[in-house]
Amino acid sequence: MKCFLVRCVFIFAMLQRSVRQTAASPDTELNCCEGDILLLLDSSGSVTTSEFSSFLTFTASLLHPFTLGRGHVRVALLLVGTTPHLEFSLDVHSNQESLLRALQSVNQQQGDTNTKAAIEVAQRLLSDTDGDVPKVLLWLTDGVQTGDVEEAMSELKARGVYVLIVYTIHGNHRVLQRVATPPLESHLYSVDMESIDIITDDLREAIIKIIRAERLSVGRLTSHSAVLQWRPVLADDSGHYELSYKAVDDQRSEKTTVLPSSSSQAELTQLQPDTTYTASLRPESNQQLHSTLSVQFTTLPDVLSPAEVTLSDPGPRQVRVSWGPLQPDRVQRYTLEYGAIPSGRVHTVDVSNQKSSVFLRNLEPGTRYLITVSALHRDGKEAAMSVRACTQEEARPALTDLRLTLTDRLEGNEVQASWQTNTEGLKGYWVSWERKGSQNSQSERSLSTAYLPPSPPSVRLAYLAPNSQVCVSPVYSSGRGDGICCTAKTNGG
């Protein structure tokens, strides 16, 4: 247990020191590459604790400058032992801090050196990845007990995987040189573990040559523009880029521009819609010869604003109208027209070419509207699009309280009705009660109704029938709200 603790502290210290040294180096590659690196690390009992620690330290230093994650460099670690052990897969680590913590926690497996079984696992791992990116298997081993690996490694290389090997000076050189991918001078390294760091730069450069992403791609495309992107291949102030582009059907349309060495993208504007273009990027440098990158793309069909109109923030008396795409360089002004269906008054709103939405207010609740957004373009063209909107029904709050007070105690058939409700949007009240019949027909009762204004919230009712039902309901523009009914305890009941 004590040896294990000492080894962990030793690995941690070595890794931290390695990262500090690499971070201090000015020759760091940040955004140069895209590819998958599978580390095949010998973790068997034939590897000493010191060698295993040195391999981990070396790995941290080797990989530290790379940008990690999908679209950049992905790293996986597979340990060789009696049974292969996948320490982490390709999509686990997207930054250097996460990778360093993982390397600090790796434990040696010990056991037999079953490299062949580990290579079979590596074949499955790398066959499931994106076939368009380069793949590297970096085998870190003492090279003493290689096993029968030549056939498995040949199959791996046949699938396009580059095999690079770092092994100790005691390793079986004849077997390993047949396994590594040529050229051997940059892909096969025999090292004294105490000075393994001297090969770091050379091996990293060999990996960079394999996974350097030298391609020109289209990042964003519209009907009249395209953004071209590439990974920098020129050092600062060491040259420039020459970018040329032209329509495939019009060779005379070729244009060329010069960009500084720090550039990594360029926007092409004033392109023709639905047109195929070719573009080429030639890095120019006195220090190194670089390949010319090229790409072909087709601009989108022309879209005249407004191409879409959407509605949001609906309410009983409001709605927001939005449209797109916003084209201030092509549109002179927008006009919005709206009116109630089928024959409401048409309202017009002029809108700046810098705006893409209008908030309509003071609409009628529960009403269908026809809304049209039109654009006058600078070239004289006009485009319009219409949508139908329906405002929400206005809220109809219920009556909250109804009280009946006897006002004619002598006759006992007159009451004062008073009530409470929400007055917002209120148009009035609908009141109903039962009136008693004539003196000759005391048993006859008749229903009386009345529509009252919003104020005051009370009314005096006379000649009520015994135990008459008095009902009051609030009335809004959208209809009648829930009311309250009470029984009037009048004389004769």
Side-chain angles (χ1 to χ4, degrees):
M1 188 65 178
K2 291 182 179 179
C3 292
F4 173 74
L5 292 175
V6 170
R7 185 180 65 83
C8 288
V9 172
F10 175 72
I11 293 175
F12 178 81
M14 291 289 288
L15 287 174
Q16 294 282 52
R17 183 177 64 184
S18 171
V19 170
R20 285 197 299 269
Q21 291 173 346
T22 306
S25 173
D27 301 322
T28 57
E29 301 284 343
L30 296 177
N31 192 28
C32 68
C33 306
E34 181 179 2
D36 296 334
I37 301 176
L38 176 57
L39 303 170
L40 186 64
L41 176 57
D42 193 341
S43 181
S44 65
S46 66
V47 177
T48 68
T49 300
S50 175
E51 289 172 341
F52 188 75
S53 301
S54 296
F55 276 137
L56 287 174
T57 304
F58 171 74
T59 300
S61 176
L62 177 72
L63 300 177
H64 181 73
F66 292 109
T67 300
L68 302 183
R70 185 170 291 274
H72 299 281
V73 177
R74 299 191 302 171
V75 179
L77 176 58
L78 180 62
L79 300 181
V80 177
T82 303
T83 302
H85 173 70
L86 182 62
E87 189 72 21
F88 51 82
S89 59
L90 291 168
D91 283 317
V92 172
H93 301 293
S94 58
N95 58 73
Q96 286 291 340
E97 292 75 12
S98 174
L99 178 61
L100 178 60
R101 287 194 298 269
L103 293 175
Q104 291 170 353
S105 63
V106 175
N107 293 322
Q108 189 171 355
Q109 301 296 299
Q110 301 293 340
D112 297 332
T113 311
N114 193 354
T115 308
K116 182 179 180 181
I119 295 174
E120 292 173 352
V121 174
Q123 290 175 346
R124 293 195 296 271
L125 286 172
L126 294 176
S127 63
D128 292 338
T129 62
D130 186 353
D132 293 335
V133 301
K135 302 172 179 61
V136 174
L137 181 130
L138 178 58
W139 185 12
L140 305 162
T141 178
D142 61 359
V144 176
Q145 300 175 9
T146 58
D148 185 14
V149 299
E150 292 187 49
E151 183 178 350
M153 282 292 193
S154 296
E155 184 177 346
L156 200 62
K157 290 187 290 184
R159 298 181 181 182
V161 178
Y162 292 81
V163 177
L164 281 63
I165 304 173
V166 177
Y167 67 102
T168 68
I169 57 177
H170 308 293
N172 189 335
H173 179 74
R174 289 185 177 182
V175 173
L176 296 176
Q177 70 177 353
R178 291 195 296 267
V179 169
T181 299
L184 299 184
E185 57 269 20
S186 58
H187 291 176
L188 179 64
Y189 297 88
S190 175
V191 296
D192 181 348
M193 295 304 293
E194 292 185 359
S195 56
I196 188 174
D197 58 308
I198 65 173
I199 70 167
T200 302
D201 292 340
D202 291 339
L203 179 57
R204 185 188 299 127
E205 185 61 32
I207 294 174
I208 289 174
K209 287 182 179 180
I210 296 172
I211 65 175
R212 181 184 291 277
E214 293 188 353
R215 66 172 180 263
L216 187 61
S217 61
V218 180
R220 181 171 56 84
L221 191 64
T222 69
S223 57
H224 291 271
S225 66
V227 175
L228 303 183
Q229 298 175 331
W230 62 91
R231 295 183 186 273
V233 296
L234 297 176
D236 291 342
D237 300 326
S238 66
H240 62 271
Y241 295 100
E242 189 173 288
L243 176 63
S244 301
Y245 62 98
K246 61 185 176 182
V248 171
D249 297 334
D250 185 4
Q251 301 298 321
R252 296 172 301 176
S253 66
E254 183 171 10
K255 296 181 180 179
T256 301
T257 182
V258 176
L259 303 169
S261 59
S262 58
S263 302
S264 61
Q265 69 174 30
E267 183 175 11
L268 311 182
T269 58
Q270 298 181 348
L271 305 180
Q272 294 301 311
D274 201 16
T275 302
T276 301
Y277 287 84
T278 59
S280 61
L281 182 74
R282 186 168 71 247
E284 295 285 356
S285 173
N286 295 327
Q287 300 178 0
Q288 184 179 351
L289 182 64
H290 296 277
S291 302
T292 298
L293 312 178
S294 61
V295 67
Q296 180 171 297
F297 61 91
T298 301
T299 53
L300 301 179
D302 199 12
V303 176
L304 292 180
S305 180
E308 61 176 357
V309 178
T310 58
L311 305 174
S312 60
D313 303 329
R317 297 180 177 275
Q318 66 185 37
V319 67
R320 178 177 291 279
V321 184
S322 304
W323 58 88
L326 186 64
Q327 298 174 330
D329 55 333
R330 302 179 62 187
V331 174
Q332 185 173 334
R333 70 171 184 274
Y334 293 100
T335 301
L336 188 145
E337 297 175 302
Y338 64 99
I341 299 174
S343 57
R345 176 190 170 191
V346 176
H347 303 267
T348 302
V349 180
D350 290 327
V351 186
S352 163
N353 63 351
Q354 301 289 335
K355 295 182 63 177
S356 60
S357 69
V358 168
F359 200 65
L360 301 181
R361 294 181 172 85
N362 301 321
L363 305 179
E364 289 298 320
T367 304
R368 296 173 64 203
Y369 282 85
L370 179 65
I371 303 173
T372 301
V373 179
S374 58
L376 175 60
H377 290 253
R378 298 186 188 277
D379 58 4
K381 295 180 180 179
E382 291 190 31
M385 178 170 285
S386 298
V387 294
R388 293 191 177 189
C390 187
T391 54
Q392 296 176 350
E393 293 286 350
E394 196 167 40
R396 293 179 289 187
L399 206 70
T400 58
D401 183 48
L402 173 61
R403 295 187 182 186
L404 303 179
T405 304
L406 189 64
T407 59
D408 185 355
R409 298 189 179 276
L410 182 61
E411 295 292 335
N413 58 10
E414 184 177 294
V415 298
Q416 179 78 21
S418 57
W419 54 84
Q420 294 180 355
T421 190
N422 190 330
T423 59
E424 183 177 355
L426 185 67
K427 297 297 184 181
Y429 300 97
W430 193 260
V431 182
S432 64
W433 69 97
E434 293 176 303
R435 184 189 293 269
K436 70 179 181 179
S438 63
Q439 293 181 353
N440 297 330
S441 302
Q442 292 293 333
S443 61
E444 292 185 2
R445 306 162 71 98
S446 61
L447 182 64
S448 297
T449 59
Y451 179 74
L452 305 177
S455 180
S458 63
V459 66
R460 178 169 293 189
L461 304 175
Y463 305 109
L464 268 68
N467 297 321
S468 170
Q469 283 280 322
V470 178
C471 298
V472 180
S473 300
V475 179
Y476 302 92
S477 58
S478 57
R480 186 186 299 185
D482 293 337
I484 298 178
C485 292
C486 292
T487 300
K489 298 296 184 179
T490 55
N491 292 344

